[in-house]
Amino acid sequence: MSDLKAHAYLLRELHQGKLLVLPNAWDVPSAELVVEKGFPVVATSSAAVAESLGHRDGENAPWREMFAVVARIAAAVPVPVTVDAEAGYGLPPEELVARLLESGAVGCNLEDTDHRADGLVDAAAQADRLAQVRAAAEAAGVPIVVNARIDVFLPSSGIAEPDRLDEAIRRGRLYRDAGADCVYPIGGSTSHNLARMVGEVPAPVNGNTTDELDLEALRALGVARVSYGPRFYRAGASGFSAALDRLSAETSPVR
């Protein structure tokens, strides 16, 4: 427990100052490679983990399978591990925190998509859940770092495009007040959106690189954390597919 507590404090500190870059992993070899290349934290991608287990993203993988992967990763690396816990798998806050700590994780993403009813969870209800997660973590003695994902920019949110940024800012403030350590407006990585989020939400902001925004541009905007989701997992699958195409062409009978 003392190691978990130390890792949680380190993870929180890494959100201040230098840009925290998280190339998301999905299994032990990918996590070990992240550490080998000098990154100070291992973050998982729910999509990559679920797909590697044969499930679709979006809480379709059994949570026990997801946490089993996290436990193997945390046991294999000496750095803090933060988990993409999707929307929390319907687990009560106390159990979610217990499962995170049991797996060796000291941070988590929690998104406000409603995977059962579609659209978004009511903002006040999500803030209340985040507050309960924070209280459960404090009661457990490990200040888990909560990255509150804000899904208003996703088409599935049901939020009209002109209203998305204002709603993201409103939710970001609510989630920060509820005890979130960081806010993550996924799908909203534009210079305008991120500048307003950084300026108007009193919390570290998680962004993503795009064709228009590299790491230096995100750093200049004041973004604190950058994650890559399943990007590298899918790049590996794409490379494998291309190699198989070449191999298939080489071994096909000449007609």
Side-chain angles (χ1 to χ4, degrees):
M1 190 63 73
S2 62
D3 287 344
L4 288 175
K5 191 172 184 178
H7 275 179
Y9 279 119
L10 174 58
L11 179 57
R12 179 171 284 114
E13 289 170 7
L14 288 169
H15 285 75
Q16 309 297 325
K18 184 179 178 181
L19 185 66
L20 176 60
V21 178
L22 301 172
N24 301 70
W26 57 92
D27 60 10
V28 169
S30 60
E32 290 179 330
L33 190 58
V34 167
V35 175
E36 179 186 325
K37 297 301 181 181
F39 294 92
V41 175
V42 169
T44 67
S45 159
S46 67
V49 173
E51 289 175 18
S52 71
L53 293 171
H55 303 281
R56 290 180 294 108
D57 191 25
E59 297 202 336
N60 288 293
W63 63 263
R64 287 181 176 84
E65 291 187 36
M66 299 293 280
F67 279 108
V69 172
V70 174
R72 290 194 291 273
I73 288 173
V77 299
V79 301
V81 173
T82 182
V83 180
D84 183 350
E86 303 188 74
Y89 305 107
L91 297 172
E94 296 81 3
E95 184 174 1
L96 175 61
V97 167
R99 297 298 181 180
L100 286 166
L101 296 177
E102 181 181 68
S103 71
V106 296
C108 66
N109 285 12
L110 287 174
E111 63 200 40
D112 56 10
T113 287
D114 189 331
H115 292 286
R116 288 153 186 83
D118 297 325
L120 300 180
V121 175
D122 175 77
Q126 180 70 357
D128 183 62
R129 179 167 169 78
L130 292 170
Q132 292 179 54
V133 169
R134 169 57 57 218
E138 295 301 326
V142 178
I144 287 172
V145 176
V146 177
N147 186 29
R149 207 181 85 174
I150 301 167
D151 290 358
V152 302
F153 294 101
L154 301 182
S156 58
S157 72
I159 304 294
E161 188 169 354
D163 301 326
R164 289 176 181 174
L165 180 55
D166 286 341
E167 179 64 9
I169 291 168
R170 184 179 79 89
R171 286 177 177 253
R173 290 171 174 166
L174 282 173
Y175 299 168
R176 176 59 168 176
D177 289 346
D181 299 282
C182 185
V183 297
Y184 179 15
I186 190 170
S189 281
T190 68
S191 295
H192 175 70
N193 291 346
L194 290 173
R196 281 199 59 194
M197 290 293 296
V198 169
E200 299 182 40
V201 179
V205 173
N206 190 146
N208 302 112
T209 57
T210 67
D211 290 341
E212 291 74 36
L213 293 174
D214 60 13
L215 289 177
E216 186 54 43
L218 292 172
R219 187 181 291 111
L221 287 167
V223 168
R225 165 173 168 160
V226 178
S227 48
Y228 289 82
R231 194 179 308 183
F232 298 124
Y233 168 78
R234 289 175 178 163
S238 178
F240 184 40
S241 177
L244 291 177
D245 285 342
R246 292 192 296 271
L247 184 60
S248 177
E250 292 171 7
T251 56
S252 295
V254 178
R255 295 181 180 177

